[in-house]
Amino acid sequence: MTKTLQDLIDESIFISTEYQARLAELTQGAEWDVDFSAPAFTLQTEPPVSLTPYLLGTDSTSRGSWIWSWQELGHFPAVVVSAAVQAREAGWRLGVDELSTDELSTAEGLARRLTLAAKGVTGVYAHYPASAGGGVTAWLLLEGPELELPELTVERMMRVIAEALTTDTAVDHNLAVDSYAKLRGAHIEWDTEATCVVTVRDGAQRFWFDEHQISGVEPAEPTVGPDVLADLAADARARAVALREDRSAAESTAAREGGEAQQAAAPREAPVPAQAPQEKPEPLEVPDFVETEHAEPPREVEQPRETEEPAAAYAGAADADLPFDQEPSDRDVRPGRVSTTVVPGPEPVRPAAEEAPEPVAAPEPAAEREVERGVVAGPGIPGSAEAEHVVEGEEPAEEVQDERKKGFFSRFFGL
């Protein structure tokens, strides 16, 4: 069976709108941080709320393209890119090229459309476009028990559908209503292509369609009872479980492909005899947007500056900050920090010294080696993409893997 990108968008648009409303209730204009090494998307509320982030890709106005996070696996923990890999595999299976093409030319609304389509094949229905500065936006899917939706009622269903239709995103309203009913465990009964009745716990509504557009809605008599609705709710939960299992498989795929890519890119040198002393590489001086993990306490990072206006609540305000099923507003978004521990590749191997080394004592336990942590800061934060970055004392010949990673981050985050 094949589908189009728009089919996937239509299937997810209503439930996406409902999850975005729930996410807006949680955020309440709070600051946020994203640490992909945890992984955790943390809202600085009282108490803080931590959600699981999945990085789909980045959209860059300066570069003029969207890059999927699976474009070069190994730069992020496998769990972080698992939803993107799951979307890629669904793209192959369903014939949706936009989900399986590593880089796409930017078009108006493309990033949001790709995100909505990814929701339909991953079962993760909340998203957040995290600004990285310099015209780059990292699009995340978010998941967590705090986002769990309450049981669907007639009032809630009609409010969600009305809100979603204001965005003019859905094209096939028949498909959108049918998908939403099934995903939320409601009962839908089609009389003809032009009319159907959706039954939920506290009532029912009849929808009228004209050329696959909702043309009218009116109260109706429920067509099934509580027992049937309970079975349909169980079916909806089973669909969600199946998609989570698919994502677990995608995580394994990401880990395997990332490891293979790093192994293939590792420098090939002669093995070092056991008695040969190992030189400790000099640490690179890195720009502000890269932090390095040491055994010592980490340096203090300047906190994000306060913004003047809080994000609007779930009301569809034209200038409101996301998360909503709208395009990012022109004004600066609320600052946050995005960080990830880059998955390290094999250590470069150095040739043995020509002279025989003097006997040495048993080595101390090896200290944890430094691993680059790529950090992307929101607008106005020191270390953002808007700042000038300088790398000093760099030796490309000795840091092949690090240079490859930096090259990817420069292109992926527009640094």
Side-chain angles (χ1 to χ4, degrees), residues 258-268 346 401 404:
E260 291 172 352
Q262 287 190 335
Q263 186 175 7
R268 300 180 181 277
Q401 282 294 309
R404 190 176 68 89

Side-chain angles (χ1 to χ4, degrees), residues 54 56 78-88 118 122 124 141 247 250:
Y54 301 99
L56 290 181
V79 63
V80 170
V81 296
S82 60
V85 172
Q86 187 179 10
R88 179 191 67 181
T122 62
V124 185
L141 295 184
R247 192 158 58 258

Side-chain angles (χ1 to χ4, degrees), residues 310-393:
Y314 170 58
D319 63 345
D321 205 358
L322 290 178
F324 302 113
D325 271 332
Q326 303 171 9
E327 290 306 307
S329 57
D330 292 333
R331 69 182 180 85
D332 289 342
V333 299
R334 194 165 280 277
R337 293 189 64 79
V338 184
S339 62
T340 178
T341 298
V342 179
V343 180
E347 290 282 4
V349 184
R350 300 180 182 278
E354 292 183 2
E355 298 181 6
E358 296 180 4
V360 295
E364 295 293 329
E368 182 178 354
R369 73 184 185 88
E370 294 182 354
V371 181
E372 283 191 0
R373 175 183 290 270
V375 177
V376 180
I381 301 175
S384 70
E386 297 165 350
E388 182 179 357
H389 312 302
V390 180
V391 181
E392 299 177 357

Side-chain angles (χ1 to χ4, degrees), residues 205-365:
Q205 290 283 303
R206 178 178 293 278
F207 290 82
W208 296 89
F209 301 87
D210 182 12
E211 295 184 352
H212 287 256
Q213 301 286 295
I214 295 175
S215 58
V217 183
E218 63 182 11
E221 289 295 322
T223 57
V224 296
D227 291 344
V228 174
L229 290 175
D231 291 340
L232 293 172
D235 291 343
R237 289 192 295 270
R239 290 191 193 95
V241 169
L243 288 174
R244 281 196 295 271
E245 291 174 349
D246 286 346
R247 192 158 58 258
S248 294
E251 181 180 344
S252 299
T253 298
R256 185 184 69 253
E257 292 183 4
E260 291 172 352
Q262 287 190 335
Q263 186 175 7
R268 300 180 181 277
E269 300 184 30
V272 179
Q275 69 273 17
Q278 295 289 325
E279 296 180 23
K280 183 176 181 180
E282 292 295 325
L284 291 176
E285 293 187 23
V286 295
D288 290 339
F289 65 91
V290 176
E291 295 178 331
T292 341
E293 293 180 352
H294 300 279
E296 305 170 4
R299 62 180 176 83
E300 288 190 6
V301 179
E302 183 176 342
Q303 294 300 313
R305 61 178 174 84
E306 293 291 334
T307 54
E308 297 179 356
E309 299 180 7
Y314 170 58
D319 63 345
D321 205 358
L322 290 178
F324 302 113
D325 271 332
Q326 303 171 9
E327 290 306 307
S329 57
D330 292 333
R331 69 182 180 85
D332 289 342
V333 299
R334 194 165 280 277
R337 293 189 64 79
V338 184
S339 62
T340 178
T341 298
V342 179
V343 180
E347 290 282 4
V349 184
R350 300 180 182 278
E354 292 183 2
E355 298 181 6
E358 296 180 4
V360 295
E364 295 293 329

